[in-house]
Amino acid sequence: MENKLREIRERVLQNIEDARASGNLEQIRVGILGKKGELTGLLRGMGKLPPEERPRMGQLVNDVRAALEARLEERAAELREKEKQARLEAEAIDVTLPGPERSAGTLHPMNIALRKMVEIFVGMGYEAVEGPEVEFDHYNFELLNIPKNHPARDAQDTFYIDDNIVLRTHTSPVQARIMTTRKPPIRVICPGRVYRADEADATHSPVFHQMEGLVIDENITMGDLKGTLDEFARQMFGEGIRTRFRPSFFPFTEPSAEVDLTCANCRGEGCRMCKGTGWIEVLGAGMVNPRVLEMCGIDSTKYSGFAFGMGVERMALLKYNIPNLRYLYENDLRFLTQYR
Ligand code: PHE
């Protein structure tokens, strides 16, 4: 029995040494120390020994058991540590790898055009101001010399919220707000969204953007207006692009003009875009009507001013040679991301 014990001890210690995974150790433990284990069997067989041998043998078996248990424990700790290291290595993250690519958005071409327009006027000393899109009739019409039942209201198909409140049909109410709250000299641009009950087509949308300009000071003339818009055209579309004024009518300006730009596509030669004329109509302008100045509390004998209003989408179409307004609103990224 002593030999048997020694043999078990050597063999199992070797097996423990050879084990390559903590799971294998458990098999070894069950095989030797479990209920049906080898050592357990030996202990049971002690009954057959002569009584005087039993204590010594019992002691021996317990020694072997203790030795094996201790070694199992140690080895298990070793293997667990090894396995942990292997796992850490396998799961290691290489923080120097480049991250997944994220595509940065691009500005919408309408916004690119708008930013450029604002930049040009800010460069000329203008301040950009904003006003509400839901506007009182008072600012959208009355203060601009368009009383109720005035035929000019028909030209701007208005979305009414109620009798006194509208979705602004142009950015001109912002100039009315500025004139009633500030004293000259005034030099502002008012970019923003406007609404008209128009059917959407190649050149119309019920929602679009305008940029208004307003200058009021002593001795402001139509020449200042013309020079300002010429300089704007040059910076926006390049050398050789000029303005042409045609007489027109707006209730809030007198005299009024519709302003054309040299067609940027053919540079004035005449092409399909300008219908052969060499000019493209882009904005409305004029000298602020003295009546409007007075209604807004500005002395019209001392001050004069000019105002202009232009469509932002229209500028974007011209700048990028886009044939149809709808492209700007359809949100097709293949189209929109072409513009930087
Ligand atoms: N508010 C006019 C429009 O929307 C444009 C304009 C602005 C005309 C300023 C003259 C002066 O049609």
Side-chain angles (χ1 to χ4, degrees), residues 265-278:
N265 189 42
C266 61
R267 305 249 139 200
E269 297 284 304
C271 67
R272 256 185 60 201
M273 246 177 97
C274 57
K275 301 195 180 77
T277 64

Side-chain angles (χ1 to χ4, degrees), residues 103-109 111-112 333 335-340:
S103 54
T106 54
L107 283 178
H108 191 286
N111 275 314
I112 301 176
L333 288 180
F335 168 76
L336 294 177
T337 53
Q338 296 175 81
Y339 304 96
R340 309 264 161 174

Side-chain angles (χ1 to χ4, degrees), residues 156 169-170 172 175 196 210 212 250 252-253 284-286 307-309:
Q156 306 197 348
T169 56
H170 49 179
S172 302
Q175 53 155 304
R196 288 188 198 176
Q210 284 191 336
E212 191 90 356
F250 298 103
F252 35 94
T253 49
F308 56 85

Side-chain angles (χ1 to χ4, degrees), residues 77-88:
E78 272 170 43
L79 286 177
R80 273 200 303 273
E81 180 60 22
K82 251 197 191 157
E83 284 161 11
K84 187 172 107 195
Q85 290 305 334
R87 208 168 54 241
L88 286 178

Side-chain angles (χ1 to χ4, degrees), residues 10 87 96 120 132 153 169 190 239 254 321 333-334:
E10 295 310 312
R87 208 168 54 241
T96 66
I120 292 170
R153 289 203 178 201
T169 56
C190 325
E239 297 297 337
E254 182 58 38
N321 231 325
L333 288 180
R334 292 169 304 176

Side-chain angles (χ1 to χ4, degrees), residues 135-147:
E135 182 58 285
F136 290 109
D137 184 289
H138 181 65
Y139 291 108
N140 196 79
F141 292 125
E142 298 281 339
L143 281 183
L144 297 171
N145 199 29
I146 316 175

